[in-house]
Amino acid sequence: MTTTLNINGKAVSVQAAADTPLLWVLRDELLLTGTKYGCGIAQCGACTVLADGQPIRSCSTPIAALASAKITTIESLGGSSPLQVAWVANDVPQCGYCQSGQLMSATALLAQTPKPTDEQIDAAMSGNICRCGTYQRIKAAIKEASGQTHPKPDMAKSAAKV
Amino acid sequence: MNSFFKTPVLPVPTRRQALGIGATLAGGALLIGCSPNALGKMMSLGAKHDFDAFGPFIKVAADGTVTVVSKHIEFGQGNHAGLAAIAAEEMDADWDKLKVEQAPANAGAYANLGMGVQGTGGSSAISNSWMQLRNAGAAARAMFVQAAATTWGVPAKDISVKDGVVSHVASGKQAHFGELVAAAAKVAPPQKPALKDPKSFTLIGTDRVRRKDSAAKSTGTARFTQDVHLPHMLTAMVAHPPRFGATVASFDASAARKVPGVVDVFQIATGVAVVADNTWAARKGRDAVVVKWDETKAEKRGSDQLRAEFTALAAGKAPADAKLAWKPFDSKGDASMAAGGTAAVETTYDFPYLAHASMEPLDCVAIVDGHSAKLIHGSQIPTVDQLNTAKIVGALPGAIEVETLFAGGSFGRRANFQSDYAAECVHIAKHVGKGRPVKLVWTREDDMAAGYYRPLVHHAVRVTLDKDGFPAAWRQRVVTQSIMKGSPTGMPKFDDTAVEGAKGSPYLKATPIVDAQVILPDAGVPVLWWRSVGATHTAFVMEHTIDQLAKKAGKDPVAYRRVLYAKAGADRRLAVLNLAADKAGWDKPAPAGWTRGVAVHESFGSVVAHVAEVKLVNGEPRVGRVVVAIDCGTAIAPDQVAAQMEGGTCYGLSAALFGKITLKDGQVQERNFDGYRVLRHNEAPTVETYILPSSKPPSGVGEPGVPGIAPAVANALLAMGQPPTTSLPFVKTWGLAALS
Ligand code: FES
Ligand code: FES
């Protein structure tokens, strides 16, 4: 069947069963592969996109539920958003597989809470697993992108020179 | 890792190896086995090597851009940055513009010098490449210098190179690599290129060595196997047996075939495959297949039963299998004395099966056309994947093309002797045939239930103390499954992976009487290396035992270790211990509410000390500040060393706190992140990394950050007055366990 979705500001028609999770429409139909599959049961956050600004798990949201929502994916961030700049500046990614989801959750966080505390970051981000353990750099990058200072004990500046 | 993944030796490459003229030709030969018509444009190897004069590791484009070819997969470790920096340093290339590219499979050009096959593991990417890439970079630099000298008619010795620009100061002449590349390519590579004095390094060891892939990985554009879409590609999923060793008796595909988008359903060796037009159809189709399983040969024991059997063996029960025997891994003095006297510590330790649970569930793309095949995936041992694929399609291994992509983690899981998931994909693609691409997708549940776990392990330890409170006699029994049993080179005489870290421990060296043995019973549960391998349990046993002994002796754990390291001549341990203790403020009280624990372990040539600050929150250990000190020889990319200490600490802590795979009557219980709990943002520590200055060759960093955190936490709990930790994970009642 045909469903019309609003993705990254564009109306797109997709041919897919109504129960198809948004994730597979994004990845397989629209080839927006920045959004990742990690668990399929709303546990890991790798598939996070925004629906009307709110983070949702696209693996567990059928397209039928999204006909009137404005959906934004990692591809819409453009690469020079403050969060992405901070991500690169801090060399946040390791394997990188979780990072699209992390960035979308962080984007939603900053839209709502421009200067989040550590606790607010934990609360907003704990649905996003990173098996590589980039958590402290994610926190640092969110702080940096939101114009807050943060300690950088992890960085090589302190590491190399003992 | 021994044998297959033995410690890298560092031969000085011969001219052909270092510069790879012959190897490039060998790379070209890979094309011969494939059918270009069917595989068409996907043959990335069809591209001509324009600048192969610089060997298999370095390409220089006409605009002067230098590309370093990595023979190692990048799945988070940051090795691409380090490998590129080694070559760039000797070449004096422009680091900011330099690119990194993944090598194709080619055992001749790209073997891991410590393995003999092309592969990434044992934290050896940097260490085995160190001299190889220095030589490659230095040779390329010399060729550019000679080209400039000839072109300008000036002596080569007066020419300097900086950031990819070749200069002759006296004449004011200068040119970038691109302008000289045609001439440089014609220069005969030097037999023995002059290497820099490490004191004059300007890139290696600096903060300038940063990841090259952060932008791609922060925009969703980095390409993983999951992201591969090719014309006419089918997506496959497989119904796997519920128990290890079960096979298909019969199946009913009628419902599956009715799912729109399902193209075919057929039996393969590992189950029933469904191929479909897209992932969701494959998933629905796979879930609709009804399979009757033949479980006559299946492993039906649960993990509790296996643990009980392991425990009985350690306690002295004769093995049921007569061929099974205890093997000593350390023995000194009169063994009977190790069983006598008054034990200061007499305890057992139990470690569960662990899933790697990489963020990207296992996946592979295969294209099979008659006897030719191409694999596209995060291949950790490409030449083994070639070999296993070649067997399935009936080809010469070198004729199998492998395109290695980024992988969303691996932690050892993609380094599989049987190429399990890749071979499964090849079987499916062979059935589909005609060069039609097939992407095999495992769901998280498929991935987690498929085995190849960190083995179940049981240790029994008994230690007596001398009058000064230091170990007098040490008895240890280790029971676990052998990882090396599946090695293509056959089971080694002694499987080091089971005991590495206990074997070679300075504590055993400092103890006059030692009786340490291992036994490796079989079980039907497939096991594999899991980030840091044997050290995942030996570090815990040795380090937590030491703190219990120190406590018995009434001594401070750091001071106690210092004496033992002095006795054993373990200077590197002593140095990282002192550095970590100093940076953590060991001599001062911990912040209110927190208790410190320490652990020191050596693995993959590097020595790491962890000092962790721990408190209990609702009965669960919570780790705050962690100070890590590491001696990894020359740190090529200090910030990536720090990143690996952060990541390794989180990975080790996740398993220590929550990780366990439970089998009930042979069936895996934890199948997704709702049952297999992993560390999340709110539970993550803050890791501070301090690197010991060193002029030694580089050693591992991908794994050595893992082993120490679990015992550091256990030691903090002990210092808090909690009982010794005798089994992991720390948090036992969560998820499934809490429900039952
Ligand atoms: S894939 Fe959707 S939350 Fe994990
Ligand atoms: S960077 Fe690998 S899972 Fe987060």
Side-chain angles (χ1 to χ4, degrees):
Chain A
M1 63 171 274
T2 307
T3 308
T4 304
L5 296 169
N6 184 319
I7 295 176
N8 298 333
K10 279 195 215 105
V12 288
S13 291
V14 295
Q15 294 292 327
D19 68 344
T20 310
L22 173 64
L23 173 67
W24 300 115
V25 168
L26 292 174
R27 293 183 52 80
D28 285 356
E29 300 290 315
L30 305 173
L31 303 186
L32 293 171
T33 54
T35 307
K36 302 300 188 208
Y37 164 74
C39 70
I41 58 163
Q43 283 288 318
C44 77
C47 66
T48 306
V49 300
L50 307 186
D52 298 325
Q54 294 301 315
I56 61 162
R57 308 300 181 216
S58 65
C59 69
S60 305
T61 314
I63 49 172
L66 293 163
S68 58
K70 284 195 174 64
I71 296 156
T72 39
T73 70
I74 182 76
E75 285 84 1
S76 74
L77 295 191
S80 47
S81 72
L83 279 166
Q84 287 171 308
V85 169
W87 242 245
V88 175
N90 286 278
D91 266 354
V92 168
Q94 289 189 24
C95 83
Y97 196 80
C98 73
Q99 298 296 343
S100 296
Q102 305 278 1
L103 276 156
M104 295 316 288
S105 289
T107 299
L109 168 66
L110 292 196
Q112 215 142 46
T113 313
K115 295 211 183 297
T117 62
D118 283 2
E119 291 68 31
Q120 286 170 322
I121 293 173
D122 281 346
M125 300 297 295
S126 285
N128 288 83
I129 292 169
C130 175
R131 288 292 287 150
C132 296
T134 64
Y135 296 125
Q136 82 189 58
R137 290 191 187 218
I138 289 174
K139 195 171 275 179
I142 292 174
K143 286 278 179 91
E144 198 166 295
S146 58
Q148 305 183 77
T149 54
H150 63 92
K152 274 197 183 178
D154 53 310
M155 301 305 280
K157 285 161 210 65
S158 66
K161 295 169 194 93
V162 175
Chain B
M1 304 184 188
N2 80 337
S3 181
F4 194 72
F5 282 114
K6 61 181 186 275
T7 310
V9 285
L10 298 170
V12 176
T14 65
R15 180 167 170 267
R16 279 172 74 87
Q17 282 171 331
L19 301 166
I21 310 285
T24 308
L25 295 174
L30 279 177
L31 289 173
I32 292 165
C34 297
S35 144
N37 283 346
L39 300 182
K41 288 202 179 92
M42 288 170 292
M43 304 299 293
S44 56
L45 270 179
K48 200 174 170 308
H49 291 259
D50 286 336
F51 304 109
D52 57 8
F54 305 106
F57 297 106
I58 292 172
K59 297 180 185 178
V60 184
D63 68 355
T65 307
V66 175
T67 299
V68 174
V69 180
S70 170
K71 64 182 184 179
H72 292 292
I73 184 174
E74 169 65 65
F75 38 43
Q77 338 84 303
N79 64 20
H80 277 190
L83 294 169
I86 297 170
E89 175 73 64
E90 290 287 353
M91 197 178 170
D92 285 311
D94 183 351
W95 173 252
D96 295 332
K97 296 212 187 82
L98 184 136
K99 293 190 164 71
V100 187
E101 188 177 288
Q102 185 70 49
N106 184 328
Y110 298 119
N112 183 319
L113 300 179
M115 294 180 193
V117 300
Q118 186 178 350
T120 302
S123 294
S124 65
I126 298 288
S127 60
N128 95 92
S129 304
W130 171 238
M131 292 309 291
Q132 191 172 45
L133 288 177
R134 287 186 71 191
N135 278 317
R141 182 188 190 278
M143 291 160 79
F144 278 97
V145 168
Q146 188 53 53
T150 308
T151 310
W152 299 334
V154 300
K157 67 174 174 47
D158 295 339
I159 289 174
S160 61
V161 187
K162 190 172 188 283
D163 293 338
V165 177
V166 186
S167 315
H168 181 252
V169 177
S171 65
K173 286 192 192 305
Q174 66 175 42
H176 66 68
F177 281 164
E179 295 167 290
L180 288 165
V181 67
K186 294 195 192 95
V187 174
Q191 294 282 355
K192 266 190 139 200
L195 300 180
K196 285 186 182 177
D197 178 348
K199 286 194 196 73
S200 66
F201 286 162
T202 56
L203 179 64
I204 283 174
T206 71
D207 289 345
R208 289 175 58 218
V209 187
R210 305 294 303 272
R211 296 188 74 100
K212 291 281 177 186
D213 55 9
S214 285
K217 289 176 174 178
S218 302
T219 49
T221 55
R223 191 159 171 257
F224 298 88
T225 309
Q226 290 272 339
D227 306 333
V228 174
H229 283 95
L230 297 169
H232 311 298
M233 188 179 82
L234 293 171
T235 302
M237 287 208 193
V238 178
H240 290 129
R243 290 183 171 86
F244 298 112
T247 52
V248 177
S250 64
F251 69 99
D252 175 0
S254 50
R257 286 184 186 281
K258 287 200 192 96
V259 174
V262 167
V263 172
D264 202 0
V265 183
F266 49 90
Q267 187 176 336
I268 53 171
T270 48
V272 177
V274 175
V275 290
D277 289 333
N278 60 62
T279 318
W280 187 241
R283 171 76 195 245
K284 289 216 281 195
R286 192 277 302 268
D287 292 353
V289 179
V290 182
V291 190
K292 278 213 176 74
W293 301 99
D294 175 353
E295 299 202 322
T296 41
K297 293 203 181 102
E299 175 62 83
K300 297 189 193 72
R301 287 176 288 181
S303 38
D304 281 350
Q305 187 183 342
L306 287 165
R307 183 176 298 110
E309 290 178 18
F310 285 16
T311 306
L313 280 172
K317 186 168 179 260
D321 176 358
K323 288 198 291 291
L324 204 58
W326 286 96
K327 287 189 181 174
F329 61 89
D330 197 337
S331 69
K332 260 190 295 183
D334 180 357
S336 68
M337 298 281 287
T342 307
V345 168
E346 184 161 18
T347 188
T348 58
Y349 300 98
D350 284 296
F351 303 89
Y353 287 113
L354 291 174
H356 302 74
S358 315
M359 209 65 225
E360 180 184 13
L362 291 168
D363 45 15
C364 183
V365 174
I367 302 152
V368 177
D369 187 9
H371 296 295
S372 69
K374 173 173 176 170
L375 296 184
I376 308 170
H377 73 124
S379 180
Q380 194 171 348
I381 329 181
T383 48
V384 166
D385 289 344
Q386 276 184 316
L387 193 67
N388 286 321
T389 303
K391 280 189 212 156
I392 298 166
V393 303
L396 293 170
I400 307 300
E401 192 185 351
V402 181
E403 182 183 343
T404 298
L405 304 182
F406 287 131
S410 168
F411 312 115
R413 181 63 180 86
R414 286 177 179 264
N416 187 294
F417 292 138
Q418 286 76 36
S419 305
D420 65 329
Y421 66 94
E424 181 171 84
C425 186
V426 173
H427 278 293
I428 298 167
K430 184 182 170 185
H431 184 102
V432 169
K434 298 200 183 82
R436 189 166 186 186
V438 171
K439 173 160 71 177
L440 173 69
V441 175
W442 280 11
T443 61
R444 172 60 59 193
E445 291 83 359
D446 296 333
D447 178 299
M448 198 167 278
Y452 293 105
Y453 304 128
R454 195 285 304 275
L456 193 81
V457 196
H458 178 84
H459 284 243
V461 176
R462 184 181 191 280
V463 188
T464 62
L465 298 181
D466 64 19
K467 61 177 173 31
D468 300 319
F470 293 99
W474 191 299
R475 185 181 190 276
Q476 189 161 355
R477 294 293 180 267
V478 184
V479 189
T480 187
Q481 284 171 255
S482 171
I483 293 168
M484 291 305 294
K485 215 173 171 212
S487 161
T489 51
M491 175 74 173
K493 273 216 178 69
F494 187 86
D495 182 356
D496 262 321
T497 65
V499 291
E500 58 187 1
K503 186 183 175 194
S505 165
Y507 307 130
L508 299 188
K509 204 170 173 197
T511 305
I513 296 168
V514 176
D515 169 21
Q517 301 185 29
V518 60
I519 196 165
L520 302 168
D522 281 335
V525 185
V527 293
L528 195 62
W529 19 65
W530 185 103
R531 195 175 184 181
S532 80
V533 197
T536 58
H537 50 97
T538 59
F540 188 89
V541 169
M542 304 314 280
E543 291 303 307
H544 194 37
T545 299
I546 282 300
D547 266 46
Q548 292 171 60
L549 294 172
K551 193 173 179 185
K552 275 270 149 60
K555 294 187 200 304
D556 171 77
V558 168
Y560 193 69
R561 281 178 176 77
R562 284 186 181 128
V563 174
L564 291 170
Y565 295 159
K567 280 191 188 197
D571 297 345
R572 295 175 75 205
R573 289 220 187 198
L574 188 58
V576 294
L577 173 67
N578 286 338
L579 179 56
D582 175 45
K583 296 293 179 185
W586 186 266
D587 293 335
K588 298 175 204 78
W594 296 89
T595 307
R596 290 196 193 98
V598 64
V600 186
H601 197 74
E602 176 173 355
S603 57
F604 309 98
S606 295
V607 193
V608 174
H610 279 84
V611 175
E613 293 177 355
V614 181
K615 67 179 173 187
L616 286 173
V617 177
N618 301 327
E620 291 187 4
R622 188 62 54 88
V623 183
R625 180 184 183 223
V626 179
V627 170
V628 173
I630 178 170
D631 173 359
C632 57
T634 300
I636 313 291
D639 186 54
Q640 283 307 302
V641 175
Q644 285 308 295
M645 294 306 104
E646 295 155 20
T649 298
C650 283
Y651 198 75
L653 181 61
S654 183
L657 289 175
F658 314 120
K660 65 172 162 43
I661 288 287
T662 315
L663 284 93
K664 219 170 162 191
D665 304 325
Q667 284 193 302
V668 177
Q669 301 300 297
E670 298 83 1
R671 305 180 85 93
N672 206 322
F673 292 120
D674 53 349
Y676 193 77
R677 183 174 170 188
V678 297
L679 194 79
R680 290 176 181 271
H681 274 274
N682 59 325
E683 297 147 346
T686 306
V687 180
E688 291 171 37
T689 302
Y690 299 92
I691 302 171
L692 205 79
S694 170
S695 55
K696 295 263 163 47
S699 46
V701 297
E703 294 168 274
V706 176
I709 184 65
V713 174
N715 290 340
L717 295 175
L718 191 69
M720 221 181 267
Q722 297 286 323
T725 304
T726 56
S727 69
L728 290 180
F730 291 109
V731 179
K732 297 190 178 11
T733 50
W734 185 84
L736 300 160
L739 292 178
S740 64

